[in-house]
Amino acid sequence: MTSTAEKLRFAGDVNIEKVVVTSVNGFYQNIANQVIGIQIFEDIFSPFITGTLIVKDSLDLANVFPLTGEEYLSLKIVTPTLKQGAIEGEFYIFKMTNREITGDRAVNYELHFISQDSVVDMNKRISKKFKGKPSEIAKTIITDADIGLQVKRPVNIEETSNQISYISNFWNPVRNMTYLCDHALNEKESPSYLFFENRAGFNFVSLDALYNNKDYIEYFTYDNYVRDKTPDGKSAKDIVQDYKRIRRLAVPVAYDYMDRLEGGMLGSKQYSFDIISKNVDIKEYDMFKDFDKNNHTNIHPLASNKSIFRYNSKIINRQRHWDNFTDGGDSSNSKFLQKRMSIMKATDAAKIEITVPGRTQYTVGQKVLVELNKMEPVEKKDTDILDAMLSGAYIIGAVNHFITRESHECVMELFKDSLLKDINKAK
């Protein structure tokens, strides 16, 4: 017989299987019963997973361990019946905040944790010349025991097409990864690489590849669905449908023309110069001319072809570095810097925030489909009620898992770089 822990009772059901804290002297204890809330934060533009434990302590754990900011945390949180995608990992507890005495023998506080790999990153500095494909260098930086992050989790690296040379001037591993992201091209010549940690492990992949993913982790909608009906008129719970329902939807910034213009999303002009040869190159970039060369979340640009912009709205001065290394050519990223700036700004131009029933498999970098109806009166003859401006394919850019012993809720920040609707056409 299936146990209660193995049954999915409702959308957002969760099992906290392990919250083990280990002190620096080896003392460990599962404090799951003392935890009243867990938050786990992921961001596609951040290298490490972070989180907080909200603890109600009546066992004087702060003195028993003691808690000094040198503890290790082992977590395992699962969605019942979900065979894969558990929130599981090893973290480092680095801070305690909001300590408050709530009774004679009780105190509440928050413990802040981060992936253990971040501690490695903060304690390493690399002084070394690197040459080769950014993807090959990235693998070294992520996994190498001597100079890298020593990552033990799975690593997903998308192969790059270009070669680079540079010197790490006592940079930490993450700064090296940031440099590689800025100088990497995939097989389609897309300069859109990111380095981030998610549920699957560490990733050095391009937005172009994420946009081209054909698999959706979930389909979300915002409607008046309550419950299905049985033949006798009673309501019937449909957990699968419940998971699809958006509980709250917000659009913090629907659009910002000024920000798009100043950020170089629409276009830019670059003056790149070589101080040795005294040569100056001028390059103009136009998002619309480049749009069809790349993969996108949807099929139409975020702006119309009547957008008011001039290349001079964003001017970039960039120094080229010719022959800093033998047979190295230009070691800067001046050839594709403008395109990268445009792609990155597009990820910030069309965002929504949704709150949905939590599942542990939700993680950044996944693709989801959102379908919303128009905010207008609907008649029976209406056949097109889809809000084509807000609906469409999105990437999970950030997710906050808020978990209690009773339930699991996810607040997600979704972004897209394109629209379902062609705004050049009349209604």
Side-chain angles (χ1 to χ4, degrees):
M1 175 180 269
T2 304
S3 68
T4 302
E6 294 173 331
K7 294 179 180 178
L8 187 63
R9 298 170 296 166
F10 55 88
D13 196 7
V14 68
N15 288 333
I16 303 176
E17 294 192 353
K18 181 171 65 173
V19 185
V20 175
V21 176
T22 304
S23 70
V24 68
N25 56 20
F27 174 73
Y28 66 90
Q29 185 169 337
N30 189 345
I31 65 168
N33 291 333
Q34 283 72 49
V35 173
I36 58 177
I38 303 173
Q39 291 192 72
I40 298 173
F41 308 99
E42 300 178 37
D43 192 325
I44 201 171
F45 301 105
S46 178
F48 302 114
I49 293 174
T50 63
T52 59
L53 299 176
I54 304 172
V55 180
K56 184 175 182 179
D57 185 1
S58 58
L59 302 176
D60 198 21
L61 298 174
N63 284 294
V64 171
F65 278 99
L67 298 174
T68 62
E70 299 178 2
E71 293 74 46
Y72 297 91
L73 172 67
S74 181
L75 275 182
K76 185 173 183 182
I77 303 167
V78 301
T79 299
T81 73
L82 197 64
K83 295 182 179 180
Q84 296 180 334
I87 297 176
E88 187 173 14
E90 308 298 321
F91 301 91
Y92 188 83
I93 298 174
F94 65 93
K95 183 168 67 173
M96 177 192 291
T97 61
N98 298 323
R99 182 180 171 93
E100 180 181 357
I101 297 175
T102 58
D104 289 341
R105 296 181 180 276
V107 60
N108 290 355
Y109 48 80
E110 293 183 20
L111 297 177
H112 300 252
F113 60 87
I114 192 169
S115 296
Q116 291 183 14
D117 308 279
S118 69
V119 179
V120 177
D121 177 66
M122 294 184 69
N123 284 279
K124 281 194 176 180
R125 295 295 182 269
I126 303 171
S127 177
K128 179 180 173 61
K129 173 190 172 183
F130 291 98
K131 183 175 182 179
K133 286 187 173 184
S135 53
E136 296 170 349
I137 300 172
K139 184 177 181 180
T140 300
I141 298 295
I142 296 172
T143 61
D144 190 84
D146 294 327
I147 64 171
L149 288 172
Q150 302 172 241
V151 167
K152 300 296 191 296
R153 299 190 65 202
V155 177
N156 175 29
I157 295 178
E158 180 186 353
E159 187 174 358
T160 54
S161 61
N162 61 321
Q163 301 270 341
I164 64 170
S165 299
Y166 78 98
I167 293 174
S168 172
N169 186 18
F170 293 98
W171 294 349
N172 58 350
V174 165
R175 186 173 177 184
N176 277 271
M177 292 304 302
T178 300
Y179 183 91
L180 293 173
C181 289
D182 288 339
H183 291 75
L185 293 171
N186 73 355
E187 293 182 352
K188 291 189 62 178
E189 303 295 307
S190 176
S192 58
Y193 274 80
L194 299 173
F195 172 62
F196 60 94
E197 181 185 12
N198 67 1
R199 187 80 67 261
F202 283 88
N203 302 269
F204 178 69
V205 297
S206 67
L207 285 168
D208 188 74
L210 297 181
Y211 295 161
N212 195 42
N213 184 9
K214 307 302 181 185
D215 297 324
Y216 296 95
I217 191 66
E218 188 56 277
Y219 155 78
F220 293 116
T221 187
Y222 192 91
D223 58 23
N224 293 323
Y225 165 84
V226 180
R227 291 286 173 86
D228 291 336
K229 297 290 184 180
T230 59
D232 59 0
K234 296 181 180 179
S235 63
K237 183 188 299 185
D238 189 334
I239 295 178
V240 173
Q241 293 301 319
D242 287 339
Y243 269 115
K244 299 178 186 298
R245 263 60 207 182
I246 298 172
R247 294 174 176 173
R248 177 181 175 273
L249 184 144
V251 186
V253 179
Y255 56 85
D256 188 336
Y257 164 77
M258 299 297 183
D259 185 60
R260 295 180 183 184
L261 199 65
E262 293 173 355
M265 188 188 94
L266 302 176
S268 60
K269 179 180 285 188
Q270 176 183 248
Y271 295 87
S272 59
F273 52 93
D274 182 356
I275 60 174
I276 303 299
S277 64
K278 311 301 185 199
N279 290 329
V280 177
D281 286 343
I282 303 174
K283 182 181 177 183
E284 296 176 339
Y285 178 80
D286 187 326
M287 178 194 79
F288 299 99
K289 294 179 180 178
D290 205 52
F291 187 82
D292 292 335
K293 300 176 184 178
N294 308 293
N295 291 314
H296 300 282
T297 49
N298 300 288
I299 57 177
H300 299 294
L302 291 171
S304 77
N305 55 21
K306 297 181 177 63
S307 296
I308 301 172
F309 78 95
R310 297 291 182 270
Y311 300 119
N312 285 344
S313 63
K314 178 67 175 181
I315 293 180
I316 305 162
N317 294 304
R318 190 73 171 175
Q319 182 177 339
R320 297 196 309 275
H321 306 287
W322 280 98
D323 291 332
N324 281 11
F325 305 94
T326 304
D327 299 325
D330 181 12
S331 59
S332 74
N333 63 349
S334 60
K335 290 183 179 179
F336 50 84
L337 172 64
Q338 293 162 278
K339 181 174 180 178
R340 178 171 175 82
M341 290 179 64
S342 176
I343 292 173
M344 292 300 156
K345 178 52 63 176
T347 66
D348 197 40
K351 291 181 177 179
I352 62 172
E353 293 178 2
I354 64 172
T355 301
V356 296
R359 274 206 306 221
T360 55
Q361 69 180 146
Y362 294 150
T363 190
V364 293
Q366 293 173 330
K367 203 172 184 180
V368 298
L369 186 65
V370 177
E371 289 195 1
L372 306 172
N373 294 333
K374 295 176 181 177
M375 297 299 175
E376 65 180 16
V378 178
E379 300 178 1
K380 291 184 178 180
K381 63 180 181 180
D382 291 336
T383 57
D384 182 13
I385 60 173
L386 183 71
D387 184 340
M389 293 296 290
L390 285 180
S391 299
Y394 285 83
I395 299 295
I396 301 177
V399 58
N400 176 7
H401 295 269
F402 186 77
I403 299 160
T404 68
R405 288 195 289 268
E406 292 77 31
S407 65
H408 178 191
E409 191 171 71
C410 285
V411 179
M412 298 183 187
E413 183 179 77
L414 311 178
F415 70 85
K416 60 181 180 179
D417 75 326
S418 48
L419 301 172
L420 287 178
K421 183 175 183 176
D422 184 355
I423 55 179
N424 292 304
K425 295 180 179 180
K427 183 177 178 181

